[in-house]
Amino acid sequence: MLNEIKINLQNINQFVAKNDLENLKPAALDALRKLHDKTGKGNDFLGWVNLSSSISEVELMDIENTVSELSSLSEIVIVIGIGGSYLGAKAVIDALSNSFDPLLHNRKNPLVVFAGHQLSEDYLFELLEMLNGRPVSCIIISKSGTTTEPAIAFRIVKNYLENVYGKTESKRRIVAITDQSKGALKQMATKEGYKTFVIPDDVGGRFSVLTPVGLLPIAVAGFDIRQLVKGAVDMGEALMSDVPYEENICLQYAVARNALYRKGKKVEVMVNYNPKLHFLTEWWKQLYGESEGKEGKGIFPAGVDFTTDLHSMGQYIQDGERMLFETVISVKNTLHKLAVPHDDENLDQLNFMAGKRINEVNKMAEQGTMLAHIDGGVPNIRIEIPEISEYYLGALIYFFEKACGVSGYILDVNPFDQPGVEAYKKNMFALLAKPGYEKQSADLKKRL
Ligand code: PA5
């Protein structure tokens, strides 16, 4: 099944020479070896490399039992987290959900809504307003336990739960996913007696979707986490360090994007032709942006949803500054079938399409766009998957993680830290007059 995931690199050939790719192969092979030997930069954060194959039956059952408990108590489950503690679950749930999920009348599972991923006062107010007595539970996810956005959202939701259900009952409705031993959330969970799941020490936030961070919310939303994990395990086997370059698609992707980067293609635009994949792109943007954007280096990861954005960003991609390349996630099959109807009047002159599947029209848009963009000077990488399912999403997630590690090492950065994320937090705390930040506070206020 896995060999149905393919990478098509033929449309970078007119932008990079064969030698440019050949020259990067040794670095890619070396990077892959370092990920397995744990001899590269950031080697204390490589727990994700073999994570999926080490998830035990006991762990999966613990998640599934917690899902049963939360589902029996709730119509809505609020998942609180930001960055790596948010995007993976959001990406998979959105990809697998009915496009009109919140409006369905026959839902079997609780509706998962997210909070703590920004600081909008209106969002939190409207969240509480929407709850309006509906049965609700909460999953709070924070590895550090001190991140401002989820901590504020959790205070609000915890207060709401305690007011509605009382302190004792609300404890049954809160699950914490955090560090095994340290951090404010761990401390609170122990004190309050919340059900907890652990984020392993050696797995960073953006690599944590295949831990309870992603698995619990995805399972609450009603999706098959065993298939998700199986997809990742199978992909893990396909990308082992003894799998030759010619068959190892994570090496090929990492080499291709680095070769393009060295030719001045500094922006990688992830493209989908299905809005359900919008948040997969957001997850990928964090994975690559936070892993590679450092030391004045790194491809800028961007994203578009086609054909929607062909009517907004299409002009720039076709004709603007030539520093872009595209990586298209091309999905072969749809879940449903629908054809363009015939119309006797034919005022829109679309009868030549009558009877054709919408997916065929979408595919022709995809192919036509690819050719036009190549002609416009935009190299094209295509990653093909047969369908959007738990299995293929699990495989794709692991593929992108592994390729990210390899790519970061080729770039010669530590792909597993994120020192730059601290800068805004320090300024925010100083401006909010956090004790200890008095000097920075005065300096910053002079600049505003
Ligand atoms: O990738 C990362 O490490 C970050 O995006 C974190 O996931 C994000 O900042 C949230 O951190 P935490 O889980 O500690 O609240």
Side-chain angles (χ1 to χ4, degrees):
M1 262 162 95
L2 207 58
N3 56 13
E4 290 173 274
I5 297 192
K6 296 190 179 93
I7 185 162
N8 184 330
L9 295 171
Q10 76 191 44
N11 292 312
I12 65 166
N13 287 344
Q14 50 187 290
F15 302 95
V16 288
K18 219 168 168 219
N19 261 351
D20 298 328
L21 300 170
E22 284 299 322
N23 291 343
L24 283 170
K25 273 190 199 173
L29 289 162
D30 187 51
L32 187 57
R33 183 187 53 74
K34 282 183 182 146
L35 289 177
H36 284 277
D37 297 354
K38 299 190 194 285
T39 50
K41 291 179 182 174
N43 57 5
D44 43 350
F45 279 98
L46 290 172
W48 57 272
V49 174
N50 297 314
L51 180 74
S52 9
S53 51
S54 65
I55 298 172
S56 68
E57 181 60 26
V58 174
E59 287 169 289
L60 288 170
M61 280 177 65
D62 194 11
I63 291 175
E64 285 163 353
N65 290 337
T66 306
V67 170
S68 302
E69 169 79 357
L70 292 178
S71 303
S72 71
L73 295 172
S74 352
E75 195 182 302
I76 292 172
V77 174
I78 305 169
V79 176
I80 299 178
I82 195 167
S85 293
Y86 156 65
L87 283 164
K90 174 75 176 156
V92 174
I93 292 172
D94 269 27
L96 295 170
S97 292
N98 183 294
S99 305
F100 303 96
D101 188 42
L103 299 175
L104 295 181
H105 296 299
N106 56 349
R107 333 191 63 263
K108 292 197 203 79
N109 295 86
L111 178 68
V112 171
V113 299
F114 291 89
H117 53 299
Q118 23 72 2
L119 285 168
S120 163
E121 187 166 338
D122 286 342
Y123 185 93
L124 287 169
F125 184 92
E126 287 160 14
L127 173 70
L128 298 183
E129 198 176 42
M130 176 275 295
L131 292 177
N132 190 26
R134 292 157 98 173
V136 61
S137 304
C138 163
I139 301 171
I140 162 75
I141 309 173
S142 179
K143 189 172 188 200
S144 62
T146 51
T147 309
T148 310
E149 292 89 337
I152 289 176
F154 185 54
R155 276 196 182 202
I156 303 263
V157 171
K158 183 169 174 274
N159 272 351
Y160 174 89
L161 292 175
E162 290 179 355
N163 286 337
V164 173
Y165 298 106
K167 233 177 169 348
T168 311
E169 168 65 13
S170 63
K171 287 180 190 177
R172 286 179 68 205
R173 293 172 179 269
I174 295 173
V175 176
I177 306 180
T178 188
D179 189 86
Q180 177 146 34
S181 52
K182 16 177 228 303
L185 180 56
K186 172 64 190 169
Q187 233 181 321
M188 190 191 299
T190 309
K191 183 170 158 280
E192 301 278 2
Y194 299 150
K195 167 74 187 161
T196 54
F197 288 92
V198 170
I199 310 174
D201 273 350
D202 56 357
V203 179
R206 58 190 174 276
F207 289 84
S208 70
V209 50
L210 297 167
T211 72
V213 170
L215 297 180
L216 182 63
I218 292 165
V220 168
F223 301 113
D224 187 344
I225 53 171
R226 289 171 186 265
Q227 277 301 308
L228 189 80
V229 171
K230 185 169 182 345
V233 171
D234 288 355
M235 184 54 92
E237 277 165 23
L239 304 181
M240 290 300 279
S241 48
D242 57 357
V243 176
Y245 181 89
E246 292 65 30
E247 291 159 35
N248 201 320
I249 58 174
C250 83
L251 294 177
Q252 295 170 25
Y253 175 56
V255 162
R257 60 197 299 283
N258 276 282
L260 290 165
Y261 178 59
R262 290 176 186 202
K263 291 281 173 197
K265 303 294 182 188
K266 307 229 178 224
V267 178
E268 179 174 9
V269 187
M270 175 144 290
V271 178
N272 69 69
Y273 283 80
N274 185 329
K276 290 186 184 194
L277 296 181
H278 176 84
F279 269 91
L280 187 73
T281 299
E282 296 302 310
W283 169 83
W284 169 88
K285 276 162 60 180
Q286 186 205 359
L287 182 64
Y288 280 77
E290 230 172 52
S291 299
E292 293 191 317
K294 45 197 74 159
E295 299 172 31
K297 299 189 271 193
I299 297 170
F300 183 86
V304 288
D305 301 325
F306 285 170
T307 59
T308 310
D309 291 337
L310 284 172
H311 299 260
S312 58
M313 296 304 290
Q315 171 60 37
Y316 191 106
I317 296 173
Q318 185 69 46
D319 230 6
E321 191 169 347
R322 303 296 70 194
M323 80 303 198
L324 309 170
F325 67 98
E326 288 181 320
T327 296
V328 178
I329 304 291
S330 180
V331 185
K332 195 165 173 209
N333 299 313
T334 56
L335 297 173
H336 309 286
K337 291 192 170 124
L338 194 63
V340 179
H342 175 85
D343 186 283
D344 284 343
E345 303 270 330
N346 196 26
L347 289 176
D348 54 12
Q349 299 184 353
L350 288 183
N351 273 352
F352 74 97
M353 286 188 196
K356 283 198 200 302
R357 297 264 311 277
I358 311 286
N359 197 37
E360 191 183 336
V361 182
N362 203 18
K363 280 278 167 289
M364 291 312 110
E366 179 182 326
Q367 290 177 14
T369 304
M370 177 184 76
L371 295 175
H373 288 180
I374 293 166
D375 291 344
V378 181
N380 185 286
I381 296 175
R382 200 161 85 242
I383 294 165
E384 300 168 0
I385 61 171
E387 63 193 16
I388 300 177
S389 65
E390 286 92 335
Y391 181 81
Y392 288 111
L393 286 170
L396 211 51
I397 284 168
Y398 188 83
F399 161 76
F400 279 125
E401 289 181 349
K402 194 82 175 268
C404 183
V406 172
S407 195
Y409 281 164
I410 294 177
L411 196 65
D412 195 24
V413 296
N414 175 357
F416 308 112
D417 65 2
Q418 53 284 328
V421 177
E422 293 308 309
Y424 99 90
K425 293 185 192 167
K426 284 186 192 141
N427 285 356
M428 177 178 71
F429 289 142
L431 291 169
L432 285 166
K434 184 174 178 175
Y437 285 78
E438 292 75 9
K439 165 94 177 66
Q440 293 97 312
S441 180
D443 291 347
L444 289 174
K445 281 183 179 151
K446 274 187 225 147
R447 291 172 53 198
L448 291 175

PDB file of all heavy atoms in Angstrom, residues 81-86 141-147 150 199 204-208 286 290 418 421 425, ligand 1:
ATOM      1  N   GLY A  81      -4.107  24.207  23.364  1.00  0.00           N
ATOM      2  CA  GLY A  81      -2.671  24.066  23.084  1.00  0.00           C
ATOM      3  C   GLY A  81      -2.289  24.998  21.952  1.00  0.00           C
ATOM      4  O   GLY A  81      -3.151  25.564  21.266  1.00  0.00           O
ATOM      5  N   ILE A  82      -1.000  25.160  21.734  1.00  0.00           N
ATOM      6  CA  ILE A  82      -0.519  26.044  20.663  1.00  0.00           C
ATOM      7  C   ILE A  82       0.712  25.426  20.006  1.00  0.00           C
ATOM      8  O   ILE A  82       1.399  24.591  20.627  1.00  0.00           O
ATOM      9  CB  ILE A  82      -0.200  27.460  21.224  1.00  0.00           C
ATOM     10  CG1 ILE A  82      -0.044  28.497  20.101  1.00  0.00           C
ATOM     11  CG2 ILE A  82       1.053  27.446  22.116  1.00  0.00           C
ATOM     12  CD1 ILE A  82      -0.048  29.955  20.598  1.00  0.00           C
ATOM     13  N   GLY A  83       1.000  25.816  18.780  1.00  0.00           N
ATOM     14  CA  GLY A  83       2.205  25.324  18.079  1.00  0.00           C
ATOM     15  C   GLY A  83       2.144  23.810  17.950  1.00  0.00           C
ATOM     16  O   GLY A  83       1.141  23.239  17.515  1.00  0.00           O
ATOM     17  N   GLY A  84       3.213  23.167  18.364  1.00  0.00           N
ATOM     18  CA  GLY A  84       3.282  21.717  18.271  1.00  0.00           C
ATOM     19  C   GLY A  84       2.253  21.016  19.149  1.00  0.00           C
ATOM     20  O   GLY A  84       1.964  19.835  18.962  1.00  0.00           O
ATOM     21  N   SER A  85       1.701  21.728  20.103  1.00  0.00           N
ATOM     22  CA  SER A  85       0.681  21.134  20.971  1.00  0.00           C
ATOM     23  C   SER A  85      -0.724  21.387  20.426  1.00  0.00           C
ATOM     24  O   SER A  85      -1.714  21.242  21.152  1.00  0.00           O
ATOM     25  CB  SER A  85       0.812  21.695  22.393  1.00  0.00           C
ATOM     26  OG  SER A  85       2.024  21.258  22.958  1.00  0.00           O
ATOM     27  N   TYR A  86      -0.801  21.799  19.167  1.00  0.00           N
ATOM     28  CA  TYR A  86      -2.099  22.123  18.556  1.00  0.00           C
ATOM     29  C   TYR A  86      -2.192  21.665  17.099  1.00  0.00           C
ATOM     30  O   TYR A  86      -3.151  20.987  16.690  1.00  0.00           O
ATOM     31  CB  TYR A  86      -2.303  23.643  18.665  1.00  0.00           C
ATOM     32  CG  TYR A  86      -3.226  24.294  17.661  1.00  0.00           C
ATOM     33  CD1 TYR A  86      -4.584  24.001  17.627  1.00  0.00           C
ATOM     34  CD2 TYR A  86      -2.729  25.244  16.757  1.00  0.00           C
ATOM     35  CE1 TYR A  86      -5.422  24.630  16.709  1.00  0.00           C
ATOM     36  CE2 TYR A  86      -3.569  25.875  15.846  1.00  0.00           C
ATOM     37  CZ  TYR A  86      -4.909  25.566  15.821  1.00  0.00           C
ATOM     38  OH  TYR A  86      -5.733  26.187  14.930  1.00  0.00           O
ATOM     39  N   ILE A 141      -3.059  20.744  26.714  1.00  0.00           N
ATOM     40  CA  ILE A 141      -1.790  20.189  26.225  1.00  0.00           C
ATOM     41  C   ILE A 141      -0.707  21.261  26.302  1.00  0.00           C
ATOM     42  O   ILE A 141      -0.808  22.302  25.640  1.00  0.00           O
ATOM     43  CB  ILE A 141      -1.911  19.718  24.755  1.00  0.00           C
ATOM     44  CG1 ILE A 141      -3.131  18.810  24.577  1.00  0.00           C
ATOM     45  CG2 ILE A 141      -0.634  19.010  24.311  1.00  0.00           C
ATOM     46  CD1 ILE A 141      -3.426  18.443  23.122  1.00  0.00           C
ATOM     47  N   SER A 142       0.317  21.019  27.101  1.00  0.00           N
ATOM     48  CA  SER A 142       1.469  21.920  27.105  1.00  0.00           C
ATOM     49  C   SER A 142       2.658  21.173  27.678  1.00  0.00           C
ATOM     50  O   SER A 142       2.616  20.704  28.814  1.00  0.00           O
ATOM     51  CB  SER A 142       1.173  23.171  27.940  1.00  0.00           C
ATOM     52  OG  SER A 142       2.305  24.009  27.956  1.00  0.00           O
ATOM     53  N   LYS A 143       3.701  21.062  26.866  1.00  0.00           N
ATOM     54  CA  LYS A 143       4.872  20.323  27.337  1.00  0.00           C
ATOM     55  C   LYS A 143       5.550  21.092  28.468  1.00  0.00           C
ATOM     56  O   LYS A 143       5.835  20.543  29.527  1.00  0.00           O
ATOM     57  CB  LYS A 143       5.843  20.089  26.187  1.00  0.00           C
ATOM     58  CG  LYS A 143       6.959  19.151  26.587  1.00  0.00           C
ATOM     59  CD  LYS A 143       7.824  18.741  25.432  1.00  0.00           C
ATOM     60  CE  LYS A 143       8.780  17.647  25.915  1.00  0.00           C
ATOM     61  NZ  LYS A 143       9.935  17.505  25.070  1.00  0.00           N
ATOM     62  N   SER A 144       5.765  22.382  28.230  1.00  0.00           N
ATOM     63  CA  SER A 144       6.440  23.184  29.256  1.00  0.00           C
ATOM     64  C   SER A 144       5.477  23.472  30.408  1.00  0.00           C
ATOM     65  O   SER A 144       5.893  23.603  31.556  1.00  0.00           O
ATOM     66  CB  SER A 144       6.900  24.508  28.664  1.00  0.00           C
ATOM     67  OG  SER A 144       5.774  25.246  28.213  1.00  0.00           O
ATOM     68  N   GLY A 145       4.207  23.578  30.085  1.00  0.00           N
ATOM     69  CA  GLY A 145       3.209  23.897  31.112  1.00  0.00           C
ATOM     70  C   GLY A 145       3.167  25.375  31.434  1.00  0.00           C
ATOM     71  O   GLY A 145       2.401  25.800  32.297  1.00  0.00           O
ATOM     72  N   THR A 146       3.979  26.181  30.765  1.00  0.00           N
ATOM     73  CA  THR A 146       4.027  27.602  31.111  1.00  0.00           C
ATOM     74  C   THR A 146       3.734  28.501  29.917  1.00  0.00           C
ATOM     75  O   THR A 146       3.898  29.713  30.005  1.00  0.00           O
ATOM     76  CB  THR A 146       5.433  27.971  31.630  1.00  0.00           C
ATOM     77  OG1 THR A 146       6.391  27.510  30.681  1.00  0.00           O
ATOM     78  CG2 THR A 146       5.724  27.358  32.983  1.00  0.00           C
ATOM     79  N   THR A 147       3.316  27.954  28.796  1.00  0.00           N
ATOM     80  CA  THR A 147       3.076  28.784  27.612  1.00  0.00           C
ATOM     81  C   THR A 147       1.842  29.666  27.855  1.00  0.00           C
ATOM     82  O   THR A 147       0.789  29.184  28.289  1.00  0.00           O
ATOM     83  CB  THR A 147       2.881  27.883  26.372  1.00  0.00           C
ATOM     84  OG1 THR A 147       3.977  26.971  26.326  1.00  0.00           O
ATOM     85  CG2 THR A 147       2.855  28.690  25.091  1.00  0.00           C
ATOM     86  N   PRO A 150      -2.045  28.976  25.982  1.00  0.00           N
ATOM     87  CA  PRO A 150      -2.871  27.903  26.548  1.00  0.00           C
ATOM     88  C   PRO A 150      -3.115  28.059  28.044  1.00  0.00           C
ATOM     89  O   PRO A 150      -4.187  27.683  28.537  1.00  0.00           O
ATOM     90  CB  PRO A 150      -2.071  26.625  26.254  1.00  0.00           C
ATOM     91  CG  PRO A 150      -0.714  27.059  25.881  1.00  0.00           C
ATOM     92  CD  PRO A 150      -0.816  28.451  25.361  1.00  0.00           C
ATOM     93  N   ILE A 199       4.159  13.659  27.491  1.00  0.00           N
ATOM     94  CA  ILE A 199       4.894  13.977  26.253  1.00  0.00           C
ATOM     95  C   ILE A 199       6.348  13.585  26.536  1.00  0.00           C
ATOM     96  O   ILE A 199       6.968  14.138  27.446  1.00  0.00           O
ATOM     97  CB  ILE A 199       4.829  15.480  25.910  1.00  0.00           C
ATOM     98  CG1 ILE A 199       3.379  15.984  25.947  1.00  0.00           C
ATOM     99  CG2 ILE A 199       5.467  15.741  24.547  1.00  0.00           C
ATOM    100  CD1 ILE A 199       3.226  17.488  25.756  1.00  0.00           C
ATOM    101  N   GLY A 204      10.198  16.863  20.662  1.00  0.00           N
ATOM    102  CA  GLY A 204       9.842  18.285  20.668  1.00  0.00           C
ATOM    103  C   GLY A 204       8.413  18.490  20.187  1.00  0.00           C
ATOM    104  O   GLY A 204       7.839  17.616  19.523  1.00  0.00           O
ATOM    105  N   GLY A 205       7.828  19.648  20.503  1.00  0.00           N
ATOM    106  CA  GLY A 205       6.430  19.922  20.199  1.00  0.00           C
ATOM    107  C   GLY A 205       6.038  19.616  18.764  1.00  0.00           C
ATOM    108  O   GLY A 205       5.067  18.911  18.500  1.00  0.00           O
ATOM    109  N   ARG A 206       6.810  20.134  17.790  1.00  0.00           N
ATOM    110  CA  ARG A 206       6.388  20.000  16.390  1.00  0.00           C
ATOM    111  C   ARG A 206       6.569  18.583  15.861  1.00  0.00           C
ATOM    112  O   ARG A 206       6.127  18.287  14.749  1.00  0.00           O
ATOM    113  CB  ARG A 206       7.115  21.018  15.517  1.00  0.00           C
ATOM    114  CG  ARG A 206       8.625  20.930  15.550  1.00  0.00           C
ATOM    115  CD  ARG A 206       9.258  22.126  14.855  1.00  0.00           C
ATOM    116  NE  ARG A 206      10.703  22.154  14.985  1.00  0.00           N
ATOM    117  CZ  ARG A 206      11.373  22.647  16.029  1.00  0.00           C
ATOM    118  NH1 ARG A 206      10.701  23.112  17.076  1.00  0.00           N
ATOM    119  NH2 ARG A 206      12.680  22.652  16.053  1.00  0.00           N
ATOM    120  N   PHE A 207       7.222  17.714  16.632  1.00  0.00           N
ATOM    121  CA  PHE A 207       7.365  16.308  16.228  1.00  0.00           C
ATOM    122  C   PHE A 207       6.452  15.405  17.075  1.00  0.00           C
ATOM    123  O   PHE A 207       6.655  14.197  17.114  1.00  0.00           O
ATOM    124  CB  PHE A 207       8.827  15.858  16.397  1.00  0.00           C
ATOM    125  CG  PHE A 207       9.773  16.460  15.383  1.00  0.00           C
ATOM    126  CD1 PHE A 207      10.325  17.716  15.590  1.00  0.00           C
ATOM    127  CD2 PHE A 207      10.089  15.784  14.204  1.00  0.00           C
ATOM    128  CE1 PHE A 207      11.199  18.286  14.650  1.00  0.00           C
ATOM    129  CE2 PHE A 207      10.957  16.344  13.265  1.00  0.00           C
ATOM    130  CZ  PHE A 207      11.511  17.597  13.492  1.00  0.00           C
ATOM    131  N   SER A 208       5.451  16.008  17.759  1.00  0.00           N
ATOM    132  CA  SER A 208       4.744  15.234  18.792  1.00  0.00           C
ATOM    133  C   SER A 208       3.357  14.742  18.387  1.00  0.00           C
ATOM    134  O   SER A 208       2.635  14.200  19.215  1.00  0.00           O
ATOM    135  CB  SER A 208       4.631  16.069  20.076  1.00  0.00           C
ATOM    136  OG  SER A 208       3.733  17.144  19.887  1.00  0.00           O
ATOM    137  N   GLN A 286       4.957  24.897  10.350  1.00  0.00           N
ATOM    138  CA  GLN A 286       5.637  24.966  11.649  1.00  0.00           C
ATOM    139  C   GLN A 286       6.830  24.021  11.682  1.00  0.00           C
ATOM    140  O   GLN A 286       7.926  24.368  12.131  1.00  0.00           O
ATOM    141  CB  GLN A 286       4.706  24.608  12.810  1.00  0.00           C
ATOM    142  CG  GLN A 286       5.424  24.836  14.141  1.00  0.00           C
ATOM    143  CD  GLN A 286       4.925  24.032  15.321  1.00  0.00           C
ATOM    144  OE1 GLN A 286       3.976  23.265  15.198  1.00  0.00           O
ATOM    145  NE2 GLN A 286       5.557  24.177  16.455  1.00  0.00           N
ATOM    146  N   GLU A 290      10.145  26.216  11.926  1.00  0.00           N
ATOM    147  CA  GLU A 290      10.798  26.246  13.236  1.00  0.00           C
ATOM    148  C   GLU A 290      12.069  25.396  13.243  1.00  0.00           C
ATOM    149  O   GLU A 290      12.983  25.640  14.013  1.00  0.00           O
ATOM    150  CB  GLU A 290       9.813  25.724  14.302  1.00  0.00           C
ATOM    151  CG  GLU A 290       9.707  26.637  15.501  1.00  0.00           C
ATOM    152  CD  GLU A 290       8.600  26.225  16.464  1.00  0.00           C
ATOM    153  OE1 GLU A 290       8.539  25.056  16.886  1.00  0.00           O
ATOM    154  OE2 GLU A 290       7.791  27.089  16.794  1.00  0.00           O
ATOM    155  N   GLN A 418      14.431  25.778  18.995  1.00  0.00           N
ATOM    156  CA  GLN A 418      13.683  26.925  18.475  1.00  0.00           C
ATOM    157  C   GLN A 418      14.010  28.156  19.316  1.00  0.00           C
ATOM    158  O   GLN A 418      13.121  28.773  19.909  1.00  0.00           O
ATOM    159  CB  GLN A 418      12.164  26.669  18.429  1.00  0.00           C
ATOM    160  CG  GLN A 418      11.481  26.190  19.707  1.00  0.00           C
ATOM    161  CD  GLN A 418      11.740  24.743  19.999  1.00  0.00           C
ATOM    162  OE1 GLN A 418      11.897  23.931  19.098  1.00  0.00           O
ATOM    163  NE2 GLN A 418      11.839  24.399  21.268  1.00  0.00           N
ATOM    164  N   VAL A 421      11.993  31.576  19.170  1.00  0.00           N
ATOM    165  CA  VAL A 421      10.598  31.736  19.611  1.00  0.00           C
ATOM    166  C   VAL A 421      10.526  32.549  20.909  1.00  0.00           C
ATOM    167  O   VAL A 421       9.505  33.141  21.234  1.00  0.00           O
ATOM    168  CB  VAL A 421       9.940  30.342  19.794  1.00  0.00           C
ATOM    169  CG1 VAL A 421       8.526  30.450  20.305  1.00  0.00           C
ATOM    170  CG2 VAL A 421       9.939  29.584  18.468  1.00  0.00           C
ATOM    171  N   LYS A 425       8.229  36.442  23.401  1.00  0.00           N
ATOM    172  CA  LYS A 425       7.694  36.182  24.748  1.00  0.00           C
ATOM    173  C   LYS A 425       8.325  37.133  25.759  1.00  0.00           C
ATOM    174  O   LYS A 425       7.638  37.694  26.609  1.00  0.00           O
ATOM    175  CB  LYS A 425       7.995  34.735  25.171  1.00  0.00           C
ATOM    176  CG  LYS A 425       7.259  33.693  24.371  1.00  0.00           C
ATOM    177  CD  LYS A 425       7.510  32.310  24.926  1.00  0.00           C
ATOM    178  CE  LYS A 425       7.029  31.250  23.979  1.00  0.00           C
ATOM    179  NZ  LYS A 425       7.498  29.914  24.316  1.00  0.00           N
TER     180      LYS A 425
HETATM  181  O1  PA5 B   1       7.552  23.084  18.502  1.00  0.00           O
HETATM  182  C1  PA5 B   1       7.560  23.611  19.589  1.00  0.00           C
HETATM  183  O2  PA5 B   1       8.336  23.249  20.486  1.00  0.00           O
HETATM  184  C2  PA5 B   1       6.612  24.746  19.929  1.00  0.00           C
HETATM  185  O3  PA5 B   1       5.805  25.098  18.852  1.00  0.00           O
HETATM  186  C3  PA5 B   1       5.704  24.335  21.076  1.00  0.00           C
HETATM  187  O4  PA5 B   1       5.010  23.183  20.708  1.00  0.00           O
HETATM  188  C4  PA5 B   1       4.727  25.434  21.451  1.00  0.00           C
HETATM  189  O5  PA5 B   1       5.419  26.620  21.764  1.00  0.00           O
HETATM  190  C5  PA5 B   1       3.886  25.009  22.654  1.00  0.00           C
HETATM  191  O6  PA5 B   1       4.706  24.696  23.727  1.00  0.00           O
HETATM  192  P1  PA5 B   1       4.153  23.939  24.998  1.00  0.00           P
HETATM  193  O7  PA5 B   1       3.670  22.603  24.592  1.00  0.00           O
HETATM  194  O8  PA5 B   1       5.320  23.860  25.934  1.00  0.00           O
HETATM  195  O9  PA5 B   1       3.035  24.769  25.558  1.00  0.00           O
END
